Amino acid sequence: EIVLTQSPGTLSLSPGERATLSCRASQSVSSNYLAWYQQKPGQAPRLLIYGASSRATGIPDRFSGSGSGTDFTLTISRLEPEDFAVYYCQQYGNSRGTFGQGTKVEIK
Amino acid sequence: QVQLVQSGAEVKKPGASVKVSCKASGYTFTANFIHWVRQAPGQGLEWMGWINPNTGDTNYEQRFQGRVTMTRDPSITTAYMDLSSLRSDDAAAYYCARGGGFALLYAFDIWGQGTLVTVSS
């Protein structure tokens, strides 16, 4: 079973700053089947990034994903007020989808 | 538009079962897997399993084996998740999500609004 570990647990930043979120896998993630989701309070998650680096439909280009193998990063180049939320990485391998524990991006 | 609409909130007693529905619209129901994900209050996301709406094949996360049953009715484009022998730690929001298939490297691109299940005696 692949375990995903996200860091940091909480990121305190101001609007306009750059956010860098990390997701580390216990084993190599197959074919970059790695996705990132954003979740706001009381809402369902929303797909941001798939295939480690491809933006989903309608996602602003301030969101970018990178990485391969066991180390992945989600970068938000300049935080907008609506970007303060919890972010989850997820891998899909061996027909199973596991999530990291999440990183909360909060207003400093 | 493409959407998944789930059934309403449920209150169940410990030991009971709950069945949550997920109605798909705006796309070909049998073309994409449906996954189920749950989220306990204040906690992270937990994947439970998937169903292939075309064949009815399922794949459950090991910790739910024996308690969860995922089914579907293609005639009404609806998927179901049945969880039995409910415990207090099963209290959570339950989400259905569409698997994006190979084109999206299997990411979950459409989510239902969630169904809150409360377990209380």
Side-chain angles (χ1 to χ4, degrees), chain A:
Chain A
E1 176 191 348
I2 296 178
V3 175
L4 299 178
T5 302
Q6 293 186 238
S7 60
T10 302
L11 202 49
S12 298
L13 295 167
S14 301
E17 290 194 291
R18 181 184 188 89
T20 303
L21 288 67
S22 173
C23 176
R24 180 161 291 176
S26 60
Q27 307 170 38
S28 184
V29 175
S30 304
S31 304
N32 280 353
Y33 292 157
L34 192 287
W36 289 92
Y37 301 85
Q38 176 193 67
Q39 188 179 33
K40 297 179 181 179
Q43 297 185 15
R46 176 174 72 142
L47 177 64
L48 297 176
I49 300 288
Y50 65 93
S53 60
S54 297
R55 273 187 300 277
T57 301
I59 302 303
D61 61 7
R62 64 180 181 273
F63 291 92
S64 63
S66 63
S68 64
T70 60
D71 287 296
F72 299 88
T73 300
L74 174 70
T75 301
I76 311 171
S77 58
R78 286 178 49 197
L79 283 164
E80 297 287 341
E82 62 268 27
D83 298 338
F84 291 92
V86 179
Y87 294 83
Y88 295 94
C89 60
Q90 180 215 20
Q91 70 83 30
Y92 189 79
N94 296 322
S95 292
R96 298 176 66 247
T98 53
F99 292 89
Q101 82 279 18
T103 290
K104 181 179 182 179
V105 179
E106 65 177 22
I107 299 177
K108 186 174 182 180

Side-chain angles (χ1 to χ4, degrees), chain B residues 52-101:
Chain B
N52 179 338
N54 186 39
T55 63
D57 289 345
T58 55
N59 183 28
Y60 304 142
E61 173 63 82
Q62 189 168 6
R63 68 180 297 229
F64 297 107
Q65 291 272 5
R67 284 210 303 144
V68 70
T69 304
M70 296 177 189
T71 57
R72 93 291 187 217
D73 185 343
S75 70
I76 56 171
T77 66
T78 300
Y80 303 92
M81 188 283 299
D82 195 317
L83 187 63
S84 63
S85 302
L86 289 170
R87 308 184 291 252
S88 58
D89 61 357
D90 290 318
Y94 288 77
Y95 294 98
C96 60
R98 186 178 80 163

